[in-house]
Amino acid sequence: MQNKWESVSSKIDWPVFYISGGLLLLFVILSLFNVEAVTTFVNTGFELSIRYFGAYWQLLLLATFAVGLGLSFSRYGSVKLGNVAKPEMSMFKWVAIIVVSGLGAGGVFWAAAEPMYYFMDVPPMHEGIEASTQAAVAPALAQAFMSWGFTAWAVYGSISAVIIMYAHYHKGMPLKPRTLLYPILGDRILTSKWGTFADSFCIIGAAAGTIGPIGFLGLQVSYGLNSIFGVPDHFITQALIIIGLISITIVSTITGIDKGIQWLSKLNVSMAIIIAIFLLMFGPGRFIIDSFVSSLGFYLSEFIHISTYRGDQEWLGWWMLFFFGWFIGFGPMVALLVARISRGRSIREVFLAVSVISSLTTNFWFTVLGGSGIFYELSNAGSVSGPLQENGLPAAIIAIAQQMPLSVIMPSVFLILTILFVVTTADSMSYTLAMGVTGEGDPPNVLRVFWGVLMGFIAIILINIGSGGVGALQSFVVIAAVPVSLLLLPSLWHAPQLAKKMAIEQGIVKTETMEVKEKEVVV
């Protein structure tokens, strides 16, 4: 046993482990003593982050998508990543892991509630549109598309994964966030303090962003069980839900990416597809399809206008920039996961899977749930908006499900789907966080279990303190997005440089010297 622990211990980057784990525990300890002070501190940091970095984040996301798009449709798009000729898993399983890991708890509660919020109060960049009318449908869904759209998904590895995969599979660098600095620091990233700093903040951001949904899941499922079955909605129920979730997470993460994570992701996506087909056939199918097509057109036609809107700072902070900061905070860790599962894929395939397929899938799913909610709200004013305003996110999906065909069982179906979404995200993040402190593609099981248990433990403590602690931790992700966004910036020019280098090595493009020699041979 001692030799086994020594083997695990030797793989851990202890400075990163102590800094990331220590700061998370410090957050919990301070919250136990004075959650109001912690919330005030986080809210201040949140507001400053949005004020001084919001415009930069908007441009960073646009530039990341533009560079990825350019690489994808250039000759470099054919470059194979990971030093292997064929992919290690099927297209469906590969895309399913990316979509579900990136979407997380947003797959149900935000999908149902966010479009409804925009429908009830039209975003300020869409002037002259009356709220809660047919005219507000396309702007509401289009704004949700932007929050979870092409540019947001682009930071999940569409170009950063190119750098990580080159440095790891070609140069032997670790699977850590610091590997994004390889083009700048070279082999020095292994011992650099900048590397330690980068790893720590990326791990904190991803862990905090996962703990928040775990905590909210406990609150939301408890609310749902109370609404549907009359189960007492109190701390014991919430804690038992989280313990059950983490137990499933641990079993899955121990089995690894090739088994548990793949299986859960596939199950998650398959269940969502079945629900979508059911609603299209027996629910407001025509409204869903019409709304998706018209809203997608609105989103594309207003893409630059919405992406660069800088008018209402308060609204931006609460909505669009909050989601942008959320995606950025998760960015490097999801990119690690993408790098881990994408060997044998081309740059074009990675970009399309991360930035386009995931985005369009998410947008259509938001239309299925959020669009259904808007349909029922138009038919019966207050049937969805009322519960949403009174009881928050979990109430929206329950109110929508109760108006669907098979309304007796649909609320329970969506509770199960929500649990699956969060379990899959917690599962993949436990695995990825373990990679972040070891740099290995298959980190020791004990570390995977540690991160799963730690995140569940912190979530239980925070909901015992009060929902303010969970909310503060979620807002902290946006603060962590500040240094993380600076780490992502160099990818804009380093990814094309490395893509060109690999294209030359793979014979996809030729250097000027090679072209001159070929001409001499012809002559």
Side-chain angles (χ1 to χ4, degrees), residues 39-87:
T39 302
T40 300
F41 173 79
V42 170
N43 287 342
T44 301
F46 177 94
E47 192 274 330
L48 292 174
S49 300
I50 295 295
R51 182 192 305 175
Y52 292 108
F53 287 87
Y56 162 61
W57 290 350
Q58 288 172 267
L59 294 176
L60 175 65
L61 265 62
L62 274 172
T64 301
F65 179 73
V67 171
L69 186 66
L71 280 178
S72 176
F73 288 96
S74 71
R75 290 177 295 173
Y76 303 152
S78 300
V79 169
K80 293 287 186 180
L81 299 168
N83 244 351
V84 294
K86 296 181 180 180

Side-chain angles (χ1 to χ4, degrees), residues 211 214-215 235 238-240 242-243 455-465:
I211 292 166
I214 290 172
F235 173 69
Q238 295 155 6
L240 288 174
I242 293 175
I243 291 171
M455 290 190 294
F457 177 70
I458 292 176
I460 291 173
I461 292 176
L462 290 178
I463 63 172
N464 189 38
I465 295 171

Side-chain angles (χ1 to χ4, degrees), residues 237-269:
T237 303
Q238 295 155 6
L240 288 174
I241 290 166
I242 293 175
I243 291 171
L245 180 149
I246 294 302
S247 299
I248 299 171
T249 297
I250 289 171
V251 172
S252 178
T253 196
I254 286 176
T255 61
I257 286 178
D258 297 329
K259 294 181 180 178
I261 296 176
Q262 269 196 48
W263 185 83
L264 274 177
S265 299
K266 186 178 178 181
L267 175 63
N268 210 323
V269 172

Side-chain angles (χ1 to χ4, degrees), residues 116-117 120-121 132 377 382 384-393 395-396:
M116 182 57 61
Y117 278 123
M120 290 159 35
D121 186 10
S132 301
E377 181 71 13
V384 179
S385 60
L388 177 61
Q389 290 175 318
E390 292 174 11
N391 298 300
L393 295 182

Side-chain angles (χ1 to χ4, degrees), residues 41-354:
F41 173 79
V42 170
N43 287 342
T44 301
F46 177 94
E47 192 274 330
L48 292 174
S49 300
I50 295 295
R51 182 192 305 175
Y52 292 108
F53 287 87
Y56 162 61
W57 290 350
Q58 288 172 267
L59 294 176
L60 175 65
L61 265 62
L62 274 172
T64 301
F65 179 73
V67 171
L69 186 66
L71 280 178
S72 176
F73 288 96
S74 71
R75 290 177 295 173
Y76 303 152
S78 300
V79 169
K80 293 287 186 180
L81 299 168
N83 244 351
V84 294
K86 296 181 180 180
E88 296 179 326
M89 62 179 68
S90 70
M91 176 68 76
F92 181 77
K93 291 179 180 178
W94 177 58
V95 173
I97 292 175
I98 294 172
V99 171
V100 176
S101 298
L103 190 53
V108 176
F109 289 110
W110 280 117
E114 190 180 352
M116 182 57 61
Y117 278 123
Y118 300 144
F119 179 71
M120 290 159 35
D121 186 10
V122 179
M125 70 279 287
H126 308 302
E127 298 179 357
I129 298 175
E130 185 179 351
S132 301
T133 64
Q134 183 67 43
V137 176
L141 286 168
Q143 191 60 52
F145 291 178
M146 177 58 68
S147 299
W148 305 76
F150 299 132
T151 58
W153 275 94
V155 298
Y156 273 177
S158 63
I159 63 173
S160 54
V162 174
I163 298 173
I164 295 172
M165 294 183 76
Y166 175 81
H168 177 67
Y169 295 113
H170 292 256
K171 299 298 179 181
M173 295 297 107
L175 273 175
K176 294 182 177 183
R178 71 174 65 196
T179 299
L180 288 169
L181 297 173
Y182 175 76
I184 300 174
L185 299 176
D187 292 347
R188 287 178 293 161
I189 65 165
L190 297 173
T191 56
S192 170
K193 292 181 180 179
W194 290 108
T196 300
F197 180 81
D199 289 348
S200 299
F201 266 89
C202 290
I203 288 173
I204 290 170
T210 307
I211 292 166
I214 290 172
F216 275 119
L217 180 77
L219 297 171
Q220 292 164 347
V221 173
S222 178
Y223 171 88
L225 291 174
N226 178 261
S227 300
I228 301 169
F229 303 110
V231 175
D233 182 12
H234 51 46
F235 173 69
I236 298 298
T237 303
Q238 295 155 6
L240 288 174
I241 290 166
I242 293 175
I243 291 171
L245 180 149
I246 294 302
S247 299
I248 299 171
T249 297
I250 289 171
V251 172
S252 178
T253 196
I254 286 176
T255 61
I257 286 178
D258 297 329
K259 294 181 180 178
I261 296 176
Q262 269 196 48
W263 185 83
L264 274 177
S265 299
K266 186 178 178 181
L267 175 63
N268 210 323
V269 172
S270 298
M271 187 173 178
I273 290 173
I274 292 170
I275 291 172
I277 292 173
F278 172 77
L279 290 176
L280 288 173
M281 293 179 63
F282 303 105
R286 182 174 177 179
F287 182 86
I288 291 170
I289 293 172
D290 290 346
S291 297
F292 176 71
V293 173
S294 61
S295 300
L296 184 62
F298 191 97
Y299 168 52
L300 294 175
S301 65
E302 297 291 315
F303 181 76
I304 298 299
H305 172 62
I306 301 175
S307 297
T308 58
Y309 176 75
R310 296 293 302 159
D312 190 330
Q313 294 296 306
E314 183 178 1
W315 183 90
L316 281 171
W318 278 106
W319 293 104
M320 192 167 75
L321 289 180
F322 169 79
F323 289 110
F324 284 3
W326 187 271
F327 273 85
I328 290 170
F330 267 100
M333 299 307 292
V334 178
L336 283 183
L337 180 65
V338 171
R340 170 63 180 80
I341 65 175
S342 299
R343 295 193 73 184
R345 299 288 176 183
S346 67
I347 289 177
R348 184 177 298 114
E349 286 177 306
V350 170
F351 173 79
L352 291 175
V354 174

